[in-house]
Amino acid sequence: MSYEEAKTRYAAAGVDTDAAIRRLKEVSVSLHCWQGDDVRGFDTDPDKPLTGGIQTTGNYPGRARTPEELMQDLERVITLCPGKKKLNLHASYAIFGPGEYVDRDRLEPKHFARWVEFAKKHGMGLDFNPTFFSHDKVKNGLTLASPEEETRKFWIEHGKACIRISEYFARETGIPCVMNIWIGDGLKDIPADRMGPRQRYKDAIEQILSEPHDPKQVKVTVESKVFGIGVESYTVGSGEFTLLFAATHPGVLPLMDNGHYHPTEMVSDKISSLLCYFDEIALHITRPVRWDSDHVVLLDDETREIAKEIVRNGDSLERVNIALDYFDASINRIGAWAVGFRSLQKALLNALCQPAEELKRLQDAADFSGLMARQEEMKTYPFGEVWEEYLRVCGAPSEYTWFDAVRQYEKDVLEERK
Ligand code: RNT
Ligand code: ZN
């Protein structure tokens, strides 16, 4: 079947596939830098353990070890992925000059100048994350919620430095920067004091926010979590905590990571609730397998459903800041990166190719058998041809051949990294 035939088939269902393709081309998805090097970064010893309750598993050869290697890999990934991208950086990816080093509380825009150059070269905006993990000053698993004044102060200064860097990103690229606050602070076992750490965390974020910034340019988000490895009993930044923090602090947006909820809780069901109250929200799209394992995003049911919720309801697409968050060290990292990005693009394109108005009408008319049948019919529409057309329009490689480039890159570049 050709694209023209697929288009006609969709048109008969009331779906304009050309319009869907045009629409998706304008949607930016934030590509996380940390899939390329197993979340190690460059500012501390890369062999230091990853802390904060997150974990990368696997030892596939070819990990990026330097900023140059990471940029080289990112360039490869970018060419494999259709659609508009932002680059999502962590503060731990600061690039120092020879002999230069400053701790995280002293980071400056200049330490990210090469990333700005990279983003400009690729016409991308930049998003940012303070890095509250994998560092000596994580004390007893705590950062912003630590009972030690000095520890807290260090991390507050880090947060403020990151606001200044985010402002710089927005200014330089002309695209607003989403700055996400996530801390892994928590306790392994039953706490005696649940309130104290939360009060300290609240106060610490407020201090970070006191750093002058334009909330239209630097969009501060707070990410919740249910539990982390080694901190199973208590998480300071729980769902209620972060959602209410965002709700009570103008300009702050909630960020939902779909690995951060109990297994039967679905982020796809939460998006519309949050959009009833917030002008904008943010997402980390990942694939939790039994826990927050951060497996590579696939075109699975929940990813499709999240995508439908993002594109539904008129202006929702403008109000959701979409980012990816996964890290798999057990397979070719370039392939992992691109499979995740391409899968999300497929889910979004598929969502844009649904007869949304008709489906809503069926629901409102209580025609539930019709609704079920129609939704099932749409699953076997010739979506593959629409996807191919989108890839063509974006100049990205076809679904039938794209992985050859990954194999070739592995041979030419990754295998050389010994
Ligand atoms: C951890 C959070 C957080 C991190 C990144 C590296 O559970 O999901 O977003 O994955 O900041
Ligand atoms: Zn996340």
Side-chain angles (χ1 to χ4, degrees), residues 176-406:
C177 172
V178 173
M179 189 192 102
N180 179 44
I181 297 179
W182 169 73
I183 59 171
D185 292 30
L187 294 173
K188 183 182 172 86
D189 226 318
I190 304 162
D193 177 16
R194 289 187 161 87
M195 179 74 101
R198 289 191 171 128
Q199 281 172 333
R200 292 192 290 268
Y201 185 28
K202 174 171 181 280
D203 174 73
I205 315 175
E206 284 167 352
Q207 288 195 52
I208 291 172
L209 292 170
S210 74
E211 180 66 28
H213 65 281
D214 172 359
K216 292 238 162 3
Q217 293 307 311
V218 177
K219 299 181 184 179
V220 175
T221 62
V222 281
E223 180 178 10
S224 69
K225 190 152 176 173
V226 62
F227 80 93
I229 298 291
V231 285
E232 290 85 358
S233 299
Y234 168 73
T235 296
V236 182
S238 62
E240 294 78 8
F241 179 94
T242 54
L243 190 54
L244 288 166
F245 187 94
T248 52
H249 292 75
V252 178
L253 316 177
L255 186 148
M256 294 190 290
D257 177 312
N258 61 305
H260 293 189
Y261 296 87
H262 289 285
T264 60
E265 268 186 275
M266 293 296 153
V267 162
S268 53
D269 187 55
K270 298 177 189 292
I271 292 171
S272 51
S273 294
L274 267 56
L275 287 175
C276 285
Y277 295 94
F278 291 94
D279 289 339
E280 287 186 35
I281 63 166
L283 298 177
H284 271 183
I285 299 183
T286 190
R287 180 163 56 103
V289 178
R290 317 219 178 268
W291 66 288
D292 181 31
S293 57
D294 288 292
H295 278 61
V296 176
V297 170
L298 302 178
L299 184 61
D300 57 14
D301 285 350
E302 176 60 356
T303 308
R304 284 168 183 259
E305 210 54 29
I306 288 175
K308 286 186 204 159
E309 291 301 318
I310 297 174
V311 312
R312 260 168 198 166
N313 309 314
D315 62 352
S316 298
L317 202 37
E318 273 85 49
R319 296 167 60 200
V320 181
N321 295 279
I322 312 168
L324 291 162
D325 184 10
Y326 51 84
F327 26 94
D328 194 334
S330 74
I331 52 179
N332 179 308
R333 291 172 186 79
I334 312 300
W337 235 334
V339 166
F341 195 97
R342 288 172 68 105
S343 297
L344 179 60
Q345 291 275 315
K346 280 180 203 160
L348 289 167
L349 186 60
N350 172 67
L352 288 164
C353 289
Q354 300 299 310
E357 289 311 314
E358 184 199 349
L359 297 174
K360 263 182 216 175
R361 263 198 315 277
L362 290 169
Q363 175 178 324
D364 291 343
D367 183 356
F368 300 120
S369 7
L371 176 60
M372 181 190 282
R374 198 81 185 99
Q375 293 192 111
E376 285 304 293
E377 281 164 30
M378 292 315 297
K379 289 185 181 169
T380 53
Y381 268 53
F383 176 70
E385 292 310 317
V386 184
W387 172 241
E388 278 302 314
E389 176 67 8
Y390 177 64
L391 293 169
R392 263 194 298 276
V393 168
C394 293
S398 157
E399 194 66 15
Y400 307 116
T401 57
W402 78 278
F403 201 72
D404 297 344
V406 176

Side-chain angles (χ1 to χ4, degrees), residues 121-181:
K121 177 175 167 200
H122 295 283
M124 298 189 291
L126 286 165
D127 290 330
F128 202 43
N129 304 260
T131 312
F132 298 103
F133 54 82
S134 302
H135 191 281
D136 295 340
K137 293 207 166 62
V138 179
K139 291 287 168 63
N140 301 312
L142 300 172
T143 62
L144 291 175
S146 170
E148 296 173 19
E149 172 100 45
E150 205 191 309
T151 301
R152 236 165 35 240
K153 179 96 183 74
F154 174 85
W155 291 109
I156 290 167
E157 288 308 316
H158 176 54
K160 288 181 171 179
C162 287
I163 289 200
R164 296 190 289 270
I165 295 161
S166 300
E167 278 252 297
Y168 158 73
F169 285 170
R171 201 170 52 242
E172 286 291 324
T173 61
I175 300 169
C177 172
V178 173
M179 189 192 102
N180 179 44
I181 297 179

